[in-house]
Amino acid sequence: MAVSATLAAHQVVEERRRAGLPVLPMSFGQAGVPVHPLLLEALAEAGGRNGYGPVAGDPALREAAAGYWTRRGLPTEPEQVLAGPGSKALLYASLHAIGGNVVLPRPSWVSYAQQAALLGHESRQVLIHPDEGGVPNAGLVPPDARAMVMTLPDNPTGRIASADTVRAACEEARDKDLVIVSDEIYRDLRYDDEFVSPAQFAPERTIVTTGLSKSLALGGWRIGVARFPEGPLFDRALTVAGELWSCPTVPVQAAAALGFAEPDPLKSYVDKARRLYQRINLAVTDRFTTAGAVVAKPQAAFYSYPDLSQLVEGAAPEIARRLLEEHGLALLPGTAFGEAPDSLRFRVATGQLTGETDEQRREALESADPLALPWIAGALDRLTEILGAL
Ligand SMILES: Cc1ncc(COP(=O)(O)O)c(C=O)c1O
């Protein structure tokens, strides 16, 4: 099994940087704002807590996460919450707990299919509705699956499936007795308020995962939470937690409890970050559209998914390699997300364009006109140049 496609592309970008070559780093789905000082304080204060904690997570974190979901219309008890070292680990524990073949949207985030394979399960990708993202088309779900993954909002497309689509997929899951895993890590980075979780339509069979890697840019701190429905799934996932990570990093949990409690300064920080991502992401999408690409307008976070078939010819992985080697433009080909080899869709990740240093990122966050900052304007101009040269 190959190294995760996103991590591999990130490595190439870093190598080019070290060699002093120009890069437009748009392959790695990393958030681009500094850690909020309140979180740094909370982490430092808890630094002395060096003993193992409870496997399911610190009571304070489980309670804060329960409150986070309850405020979003999903009443949650702390006992339903499992914390882990990132939502990726919790997705793995969830797929293990469900224990069977997995239905995924096509395209979908790189790790679901790989995790299913690691667990010895088959995964089948099912086409999404055109211009939506993250939810398998209900009519195409195979009969032998046990789990259905949804990504809301979606990576790679940057789109949010409609309430009707989510409802239909939930009904299908109920008919076929599937457990839904709803990956909602980008929920707080959507550009407007509309959002439905499958946990509203099918609460009895939906596991929801989220984390602070995107909204508060804490990817490297490795912390996530999952919300389980009633029944045996929680205990099965807890077994994975106990045997693989024992407990999430204790000091990080203290900071994460604060993150999920959402005091006003953190809430407005997430709002500011979201507005910044939105400005940059929509500007990048515009550049692609102007160059002749076909792209559905992103609705969340820092991704878009243009179709470049009007601009380039050949196989997508080869084109991605050429864009990186000849122009320093790092994109991921749709094939990394399960697209057919003849698809010329590419995932564009714009979270890193906020700046290269914390100082630049802070300035971008505070700026009334971030697109005019030299490093962001420069990246946009360079993108226009590269696309113009294709
Ligand atoms: C759709 C999706 N789910 C989950 C993750 C993993 O997040 P975490 O850092 O919580 O493991 C990512 C990160 O790129 C993601 O894009």
Side-chain angles (χ1 to χ4, degrees):
M1 194 174 289
V3 180
S4 150
T6 29
L7 295 177
H10 180 59
Q11 221 167 321
V12 177
V13 167
E14 287 308 311
E15 277 162 20
R16 276 186 69 94
R17 261 210 189 108
R18 275 197 294 276
L21 295 165
V23 286
L24 260 185
M26 305 212 284
S27 58
F28 194 39
Q30 174 137 285
V33 297
V35 181
H36 192 283
L38 282 179
L39 296 168
L40 283 175
E41 246 171 61
L43 179 69
E45 246 171 54
R49 293 177 59 191
N50 60 341
Y52 292 102
V55 175
D58 227 44
L61 171 57
R62 296 174 78 196
E63 195 177 323
Y68 166 94
W69 274 307
T70 301
R71 286 191 296 282
R72 283 158 180 74
L74 294 177
T76 306
E77 296 299 325
E79 294 70 34
Q80 288 175 264
V81 177
L82 177 61
S87 62
K88 191 187 251 186
L90 293 167
L91 287 161
Y92 181 85
S94 300
L95 294 179
H96 173 88
I98 299 164
N101 295 345
V102 184
V103 179
L104 302 173
R106 180 189 302 263
S108 54
W109 181 52
V110 292
S111 291
Y112 308 128
Q114 299 278 60
Q115 290 194 351
L118 281 172
L119 286 162
H121 304 319
E122 281 177 27
S123 59
R124 176 94 70 84
Q125 285 193 307
V126 166
L127 277 180
I128 56 172
H129 288 275
D131 284 347
E132 294 195 15
V135 176
N137 189 326
L140 304 172
V141 172
D144 62 340
R146 291 280 299 119
M148 180 196 283
V149 175
M150 305 187 192
T151 318
L152 293 157
D154 185 37
N155 168 16
T157 61
R159 302 284 291 171
I160 305 176
S162 71
D164 283 349
T165 296
V166 175
R167 190 184 292 109
C170 288
E171 279 165 12
E172 188 71 6
R174 198 170 273 137
D175 280 354
K176 295 204 157 80
D177 199 19
L178 305 179
V179 176
I180 297 165
V181 180
S182 184
D183 178 346
E184 300 180 7
I185 194 156
Y186 296 103
R187 175 173 182 153
D188 296 334
L189 293 182
R190 66 199 190 285
Y191 305 155
D192 66 36
D193 279 344
E194 258 174 63
F195 184 84
V196 287
S197 169
Q200 288 162 252
F201 296 130
E204 79 288 356
R205 63 184 60 251
T206 301
I207 301 171
V208 181
T209 61
T210 190
L212 301 176
S213 301
K214 312 299 173 179
S215 57
L216 286 169
L218 296 181
W221 286 18
R222 307 311 300 130
I223 190 75
V225 286
R227 174 190 186 273
F228 282 80
E230 264 181 45
L233 291 169
F234 180 93
D235 282 346
R236 288 191 210 145
L238 190 66
T239 304
V240 178
E243 298 308 329
L244 289 193
W245 58 81
S246 301
C247 70
T249 310
V250 173
V252 169
Q253 291 189 78
L258 182 68
F260 282 111
E262 302 180 283
D264 284 341
L266 292 186
K267 240 197 308 199
S268 48
Y269 197 65
V270 174
D271 285 345
K272 244 193 302 197
R274 189 192 57 242
R275 282 195 296 271
L276 175 61
Y277 297 136
Q278 178 177 5
R279 297 283 293 275
I280 296 176
N281 206 30
L282 293 179
V284 165
T285 310
D286 261 3
R287 305 287 166 128
F288 275 96
T289 309
T290 306
V294 176
V295 52
K297 194 171 168 184
Q299 296 168 304
F302 27 71
Y303 303 112
S304 65
Y305 200 55
D307 184 327
L308 303 190
S309 49
Q310 302 296 314
L311 303 178
V312 289
E313 276 179 6
E318 173 57 21
I319 292 165
R321 194 187 57 76
R322 254 181 26 224
L323 289 173
L324 186 53
E325 283 176 7
E326 292 171 18
H327 303 281
L329 172 59
L331 306 178
L332 280 188
T335 44
F337 305 94
E339 296 271 23
D342 63 348
S343 160
L344 288 182
R345 300 177 85 186
F346 293 79
R347 192 198 65 176
V348 179
T350 58
Q352 294 287 282
L353 300 191
T354 52
E356 278 188 26
T357 61
D358 272 0
E359 203 182 358
Q360 287 185 340
R361 292 170 182 160
R362 235 171 256 125
E363 202 176 329
L365 266 176
E366 298 305 330
S367 170
D369 188 9
L371 302 185
L373 293 169
W375 56 93
I376 299 177
L380 290 170
D381 289 349
R382 181 144 173 70
L383 177 64
T384 299
E385 241 171 67
I386 295 168
L387 295 176
L390 295 180

